[in-house]
Every structure is written in structure tokens, then in C-alpha cells.
Amino acid sequence: MSPFPPDRPLGVALVGTGFGQKVHLPGFQNYPHTEVVAVYHRDGEKAAEIAAKHRIPKFCTRLEEIVALPEVDAVSVSTPPFLHFEMAKTVLKAGKHLLLEKPTTLTAEEARALQNLAESQGVVVVMDFEYRFVPEWQHLAHLLQQNYVGQPYLIRVDWLMSSRADTQRPWNWYSQKELGGGALGSLGSHTFDTIAWLFGPVRRLQASLSTAIPQRPDPTSSQLQPVTADDTVLMTLELASGAPCQVAISSVCRNGRGYWVEVYGDRGALVLGSSNQKDYVHGFKLWAAPAGEELRELSTPAQFAFETTYPDGRLAPFIRVVDHWARSIAQGKADSPNLRDGVYSQLLMDIAHRSHETKTWVTVPDRATFLP
């Protein structure tokens, strides 16, 4: 176990410069115990430009070069999901700690292989499941731990967004199932993680995936290309506790109601939600009611509140993820959310695809058995 805070900032390499530049980079720069020391981009000119713009000391066009730098202690990977497995393997084989964006990989077997590799290398891997670090979500988790609702009778999750409702939004990897695109990977990965975190493991599930916009314009040719990834997911889950859970996820709901979680039990109800379509984090509120009473909005206790907020709501919870990662590295192991949580989320996504293809309920392997 190493002391925390460390004697020097953790040297971090940035791999992924889309979401990575928007959230990861400012997150590391605003956290006192990390320093971005290198950036990767396959295009040398772009790599140099990004490094100069953000005053990053080094840049590389090959991942093998960046993990060989002695000043790199850890790597954040925020590339599209079809690149995660090979990139994460390279990072872990080099003995570097890893912060990995969701979805974890393309399959649960790939994710489990990364887990085995991380354990054999003795490195710490944390998933960016940032909703666990949003104050209102933490308040919800606290009340559930206090048995506020009692025995849950029904859990309902609606995540209805308009982010891809525009039919002219360009075709890219997100439009392709084989590359890890779609609402299930983007939003469902978070949903499965928060369900497991708040309510425990899943016993079985039934899923139906659909694509409302079957073609999108290819920006390289102006031709329409087929969309093979889902944009709407409807699921029914039976939790190991016996509680039923209904899930509706969509990225094509104009004027959708946003992200909502409702829990109804024998002792009361809890409702968490945000209708903010422009910021996935800002705007959450929590309502509660003991059995027989009206819902009332709860204020967020100071123990859960952010110390600092930013115009981009994703930044404050991401900084908490970074803090969790840095502290986990210091103690030599990662508590949740870690790679094991990423494996489980990926397993549930795989099973959702299988259920859709077979049009049947599919039993989920016991978590302890799948992840010994």
C-alpha cells in the first residue's frame, strides 16, 4: 500500500481524444494528484497539435510507444468500444494502471480476459461508471441501503433521450452493431451497472432491440449507409431478490422525459430523475414518500454534494472517478466500480442481445461463478 496523496502526481497518458479531450483531459487537469504526461493519436500531426494545445509534454502515434514511457504510470482509454480490448491488453501487459470507458469491450469473454490479465499483472483497473458518483444517485443508494422502500415491488428505469433523433446525424461506428455501437452499449452499459449497484444481481432477462432510423448519411461519400445498431431497447429483468424491473432506453425520443429511476416497495417509494436533454448529469432531483404519503422533493445532503461544479455536468463526477482510481492505485486494489463491474455489465449486454435474437427469457450466470 502506498501513501495517499502520493509524493508526486500520477503520470497519466491520454488515449482517446474525442470524449477524452472533452472530459478526461480537464478531469485529470483539475484533479490535484494526476498529470497528463503524454497523449496518443494515430495521426502524428493531430497528436502534436493536441499536445501543444494542452501543454502535454509528449505525444505518440503508437500505443506501444506510449506505454513504454517511464513517466507514464497509468493510462485512460476513451476510444470507441471496438478498440478497447486490444488497447487495454497493451496497457495491462505493460504493467500500467487503466481507467477504461464503457462499454467495457465487445463481449463478456473479452472483458473477463482483461480481468484475468489485470489480476496477473497486479495493476488497478477502474471503469468510468460516473453515475455512481453523482450526488443524487449517491443519496438514492443511501436511502435504499437504509431500507427506505422496504421490499421492492417494482423497479422502473426510463432513459429516453433525443441525442440521435436527427435522421441526418452522420453514420459512423456508433451506427454499427459489430463495432459496439447502439443505445444498449452507450446507455445500457450504465443502466446495467446502476441496477447491479443499487439492487443486486440479475437472475434472468428478456430484451427487444429495435432500430427506428435504418439508414444514415456517410460523411465520406454522402451515401446512405445501413444502421445495424439499435436505437431503442425494451427489457424486463427479474432480479436475484425476486423484484421485477422494467427498462426502456432510447436515443431517438424527441422531447423524451430523460433519465428516471422509480422504486416502489411495501414501505415507500423513491423517484430519481432528470429531464435535461443537453447534459446527462446536471438536473437530477430525488423525490421520496413513505407508504400512503405524497412524494416530496428531497434536498441533497452535504455529504454527497460536489465540492465544485462545472458547465459540463460530466466533469465533476468524472473527477470523483479519477479520485477513486488514484486512491485504488495507492491501496493496490480497486473497490467498485472496477473492472469486475465492467465484466458484469458486458455480460448483461451480451445476454440482452441473445434474448433479442432468440426471443426468449435468458438466465444470467451467477456472478460469483462467472467472475470467480
Side-chain angles (χ1 to χ4, degrees):
M1 182 178 295
S2 301
F4 189 90
D7 296 333
R8 63 171 180 82
L10 192 70
V12 177
L14 193 71
V15 177
T17 52
F19 185 76
Q21 277 195 91
K22 294 176 181 177
V23 177
H24 283 221
L25 179 59
F28 293 128
Q29 291 176 334
N30 280 279
Y31 182 68
H33 307 304
T34 51
E35 179 184 1
V36 179
V37 296
V39 62
Y40 160 86
H41 197 290
R42 65 181 182 276
D43 184 311
E45 289 186 7
K46 289 184 178 179
E49 179 185 340
I50 293 167
K53 178 180 178 181
H54 299 289
R55 299 182 180 179
I56 300 172
K58 294 187 177 180
F59 64 88
C60 298
T61 58
R62 295 179 63 249
L63 190 56
E64 291 79 6
E65 294 174 359
I66 213 165
V67 297
L69 295 172
E71 58 267 46
V72 171
D73 303 303
V75 180
S76 80
V77 173
S78 58
T79 55
F82 65 92
L83 298 172
H84 285 186
F85 181 58
E86 292 299 329
M87 284 185 161
K89 275 204 307 184
T90 300
V91 171
L92 298 177
K93 285 181 177 179
K96 308 294 184 178
H97 305 293
L98 174 65
L99 194 159
L100 184 60
E101 268 300 331
K102 55 76 198 171
T104 315
T105 48
L106 293 182
T107 68
E109 288 303 322
E110 286 184 347
R112 190 162 62 170
L114 292 182
Q115 174 66 29
N116 292 337
L117 179 57
E119 290 178 354
S120 68
Q121 292 290 93
V123 293
V124 169
V125 184
V126 160
M127 297 296 301
D128 184 22
F129 287 137
E130 70 264 27
Y131 285 97
R132 293 191 185 211
F133 297 91
V134 175
E136 293 76 15
W137 284 81
Q138 293 184 331
H139 192 190
L140 171 65
H142 173 74
L143 292 174
L144 288 170
Q145 289 167 1
Q146 297 298 311
N147 203 31
Y148 186 93
V149 301
Q151 175 63 39
Y153 290 160
L154 174 66
I155 300 159
R156 182 176 177 87
V157 179
D158 286 336
W159 200 346
L160 309 178
M161 305 300 288
S162 60
S163 56
R164 303 192 67 81
D166 182 358
T167 59
Q168 295 306 301
R169 184 157 181 174
W171 179 86
N172 59 9
W173 69 265
Y174 190 99
S175 304
Q176 302 173 67
K177 174 187 174 183
E178 60 273 22
L179 298 185
L184 181 64
S186 177
L187 306 182
S189 55
H190 276 305
T191 302
F192 281 136
D193 178 65
T194 53
I195 288 173
W197 168 47
L198 295 171
F199 308 109
V202 179
R203 180 179 297 155
R204 62 181 188 142
L205 66 81
Q206 185 179 45
S208 174
L209 284 63
S210 59
T211 305
I213 301 174
Q215 295 179 312
R216 290 190 181 274
D218 185 343
T220 64
S221 66
S222 299
Q223 300 295 314
L224 291 175
Q225 296 288 352
V227 175
T228 57
D230 59 272
D231 51 36
T232 297
V233 182
L234 302 176
M235 294 186 288
T236 301
L237 286 66
E238 180 185 301
L239 305 186
S241 66
C245 178
Q246 292 183 320
V247 178
I249 298 171
S250 182
S251 60
V252 291
C253 290
R254 293 189 186 275
N255 303 313
R257 67 191 295 245
Y259 195 4
W260 292 79
V261 178
E262 303 169 53
V263 190
Y264 303 99
D266 64 342
R267 294 183 59 183
L270 291 166
V271 176
L272 170 75
S274 171
S275 297
N276 192 338
Q277 290 278 345
K278 295 183 178 180
D279 191 312
Y280 280 26
V281 174
H282 280 156
F284 277 107
K285 295 181 180 180
L286 179 63
W287 291 263
E293 297 185 18
E294 296 292 325
L295 285 169
R296 62 183 178 86
E297 185 178 340
L298 302 181
S299 58
T300 302
Q303 69 195 81
F304 304 123
F306 290 128
E307 292 184 2
T308 306
T309 57
Y310 303 86
D312 186 331
R314 298 170 296 183
L315 193 50
F318 179 73
I319 291 173
R320 286 186 170 180
V321 173
V322 175
D323 180 67
H324 169 64
W325 188 35
R327 291 176 185 274
S328 296
I329 291 170
Q331 72 177 9
K333 64 175 183 178
D335 297 324
S336 292
N338 53 32
L339 184 52
R340 295 176 73 87
D341 300 299
V343 175
Y344 193 63
S345 172
Q346 189 67 54
L347 172 65
L348 294 174
M349 285 191 287
D350 287 6
I351 288 175
H353 280 296
R354 192 186 315 160
S355 173
H356 169 72
E357 292 162 1
T358 61
K359 301 187 184 307
T360 61
W361 282 87
V362 178
T363 299
V364 178
D366 180 77
R367 182 167 180 163
T369 302
F370 191 79
L371 278 168

